[in-house]
Amino acid sequence: MLDPKVTSVVGIDVAKASHVVCALEAPSGKIRQRPKSIAATAAGYAKLLQWLARWGGPEAVLVGLEATGSLWEPLHDALTHAGYQVLVLNPRQTSSWSQSLGLRAKTDGIDAQTIARGLLAGYARASALPTETVQALRELTRARRDLVQARTAARQRLLDELVVVFPELPGHLPAHTDLATPAVLHLLGAYGSARALAEAPLADVAGLLAQHRGGRWTQEQAQQLQALAKHSTASTRAVRARGTVVSTFARHLLELQRHIDDLEKAIAAALHDDEVGKRLQEVPGVGPIHAATIRAELGDVTRFTRLDQVVAYAGLDPRVRQSGAFVGQRKLSKRGPGALRRALYLAVLVATRYRPEWRERYHKLLARGQAKKEALTILSRALLKVIYHLLVSGDSYDADKIKPRAVVAAVGA
């Protein structure tokens, strides 16, 4: 229900370079301002504040913004600092308004007017804005996730090239080393092919390996690698070009790892003084990175009033398709953050290996005919429920309470 004090509603469609503003009179719905663009700059925000002052000032104006990525944040800050009430709206919500109005066209002007009409009708439900800690962890964990994905792709690309220029190397590395070992990456960064390694002075190869492995790589091992390179079945085509590619990706992996390490240090610092993050790490299977991800993607749990809301937010609620005699397969809705589901899944995977109470529940699900992935998905939902209870109640984790019990029907992962 719209507050009687509000005499104007303003819908703003947010974009990168500019925003489109539409204002309606309340409660009549008469247009005060047809959709008009302002620049996403200080000058553009100053112009908007002048318009808002003409339409009634802070107490009489309600502003709605669509939560488009993080593009809304500077405008939100400018408006709230000026004293205006601003609702940040979920795109799903505004999209449903468009559908209910039967709108077929989609333009920035139409979107701004649709937001204003939704505000006028009293339909708007503001999104919960993240705290400073949650926002910081969200930025850090998402950046780390992007770099980890880039690292995985770079490793595969490096392996694909080695199959041609030095196929024996991956299977003949010394114990406790692999292609991700810094010493090996430094080696490939300097000598990107079997031919280059075979022609290099042995002392240089041994020195490079010893330097980047703390002196634990012997000259004999370096000699064995060089002998392997001399008898390699590597291709003789485009060797120099392919060697350059290998060296480039090896150095790229080293650089990516340094950036990932920097982000993980920043994540640890953000968790250091965060009580919720510390409590999350008391849950079996939840280490610092998973705790940071769950904290970032789940946000403040006090905004949920029921347990099923948390499950639905995470996308771990079952979705059923049924019409008449047709009953479709039960599947997860997967409507929430995928990173949250993955963190819960990986945490449960660890918990079922090392904690007897979770391992017992896992094997009981398997005994009832559940596939491994389905059983882990069910336990992911159970772990989320445990996390929600601990954060809301302030209780400590109690392994005795995590006992096998009647479980819900499995849903597709």
Side-chain angles (χ1 to χ4, degrees):
M1 197 72 173
L2 193 64
D3 190 327
K5 295 180 181 179
V6 174
T7 59
S8 296
V9 292
V10 181
I12 305 179
D13 184 71
V14 178
K16 184 179 294 185
S18 62
H19 311 316
V20 177
V21 181
C22 178
L24 304 177
E25 185 181 274
S28 67
K30 180 181 177 181
I31 294 179
R32 285 191 182 275
Q33 171 70 65
R34 294 190 179 277
K36 190 171 182 179
S37 178
I38 61 167
T41 62
Y45 297 163
K47 181 188 292 186
L48 174 60
L49 290 173
Q50 291 176 359
W51 293 349
L52 295 177
R54 292 203 306 265
W55 299 333
E59 293 185 357
V61 175
L62 176 64
V63 182
L65 311 176
E66 189 175 81
T68 306
S70 57
L71 299 177
W72 56 271
E73 292 182 15
L75 178 58
H76 178 272
D77 290 346
L79 294 175
T80 53
H81 288 164
Y84 288 92
Q85 182 184 1
V86 183
L87 303 184
V88 180
L89 307 172
N90 190 300
R92 286 180 177 270
Q93 184 179 180
T94 56
S95 176
S96 69
W97 294 349
S98 298
Q99 294 175 5
S100 66
L101 293 170
L103 300 176
R104 296 184 179 182
K106 179 174 172 38
T107 66
D108 294 343
I110 291 175
D111 288 346
Q113 188 167 0
T114 300
I115 293 172
R117 292 172 70 178
L119 295 173
L120 185 67
Y123 296 154
R125 290 180 292 107
S127 299
L129 300 184
T131 63
E132 182 69 19
T133 298
V134 169
Q135 186 67 58
L137 288 172
R138 191 170 293 177
E139 295 293 332
L140 293 169
T141 54
R142 290 178 180 180
R144 179 189 176 276
R145 187 161 60 249
D146 289 343
L147 292 185
V148 168
Q149 291 172 352
R151 182 180 63 183
T152 300
R155 281 180 181 174
Q156 186 58 52
R157 186 73 168 83
L158 178 63
L159 184 59
D160 291 344
E161 288 296 331
L162 284 175
V163 168
V164 180
V165 298
F166 199 172
E168 297 83 5
L169 180 62
H172 291 80
L173 291 172
H176 309 298
T177 60
D178 56 31
L179 288 179
T181 303
V184 176
L185 291 176
H186 280 286
L187 176 71
L188 293 174
Y191 312 108
S193 67
R195 179 185 298 178
L197 181 59
E199 294 174 351
L202 176 59
D204 291 351
V205 175
L208 185 150
L209 291 172
Q211 176 187 352
H212 296 288
R213 201 164 183 254
R216 290 174 293 171
W217 202 305
T218 66
Q219 183 163 342
E220 182 182 355
Q221 290 173 321
Q223 191 171 7
Q224 290 172 353
L225 282 179
Q226 195 169 52
L228 188 69
K230 290 178 179 178
H231 298 90
S232 174
T233 58
S235 171
T236 58
R237 299 171 61 86
V239 175
R240 180 169 299 186
R242 284 169 165 162
T244 299
V245 172
V246 168
S247 295
T248 300
F249 274 96
R251 290 191 290 267
H252 180 48
L253 280 166
L254 288 168
E255 189 68 21
L256 281 174
Q257 189 57 55
R258 282 194 287 270
H259 293 319
I260 291 171
D261 291 343
D262 289 342
L263 287 172
E264 289 180 351
K265 290 177 183 176
I267 289 170
L271 286 175
H272 184 266
D273 297 321
D274 182 53
E275 291 302 321
V276 175
K278 292 178 181 177
R279 289 184 61 76
L280 284 171
Q281 293 179 69
E282 298 173 2
V283 179
V286 180
I289 298 301
H290 291 156
T293 302
I294 294 170
R295 179 83 167 103
E297 303 298 340
L298 189 59
D300 184 2
V301 295
T302 59
R303 62 197 171 103
F304 302 108
T305 57
R306 302 190 311 273
L307 184 58
D308 58 346
Q309 291 178 340
V310 184
V311 174
Y313 175 80
L316 289 171
D317 55 323
R319 180 182 61 189
V320 182
R321 296 184 64 186
Q322 180 178 355
S323 179
F326 170 78
V327 179
Q329 186 180 10
R330 292 166 60 89
K331 295 183 178 181
L332 294 182
S333 69
K334 293 187 177 181
R335 289 176 294 190
L340 174 59
R341 290 192 298 276
R342 178 170 174 77
L344 292 168
Y345 187 92
L346 293 176
V348 158
L349 194 61
V350 173
T352 55
R353 290 178 180 176
Y354 299 106
R355 294 299 292 260
E357 69 273 19
W358 288 95
R359 184 165 56 248
E360 186 179 355
R361 293 189 70 172
Y362 176 59
H363 286 296
K364 189 165 186 178
L365 286 167
L366 296 181
R368 294 185 178 186
Q370 305 291 348
K372 291 181 179 180
K373 191 173 183 180
E374 292 175 336
L376 290 170
T377 300
I378 291 172
L379 292 181
S380 297
R381 184 163 58 243
L383 184 67
L384 176 60
K385 293 178 179 179
V386 170
I387 288 172
Y388 176 70
H389 171 75
L390 296 181
L391 295 183
V392 170
S393 67
D395 294 342
S396 298
Y397 177 80
D398 186 353
D400 293 335
K401 294 182 179 179
I402 310 299
K403 299 177 181 178
R405 59 185 68 180
V407 294
V408 297
V411 295

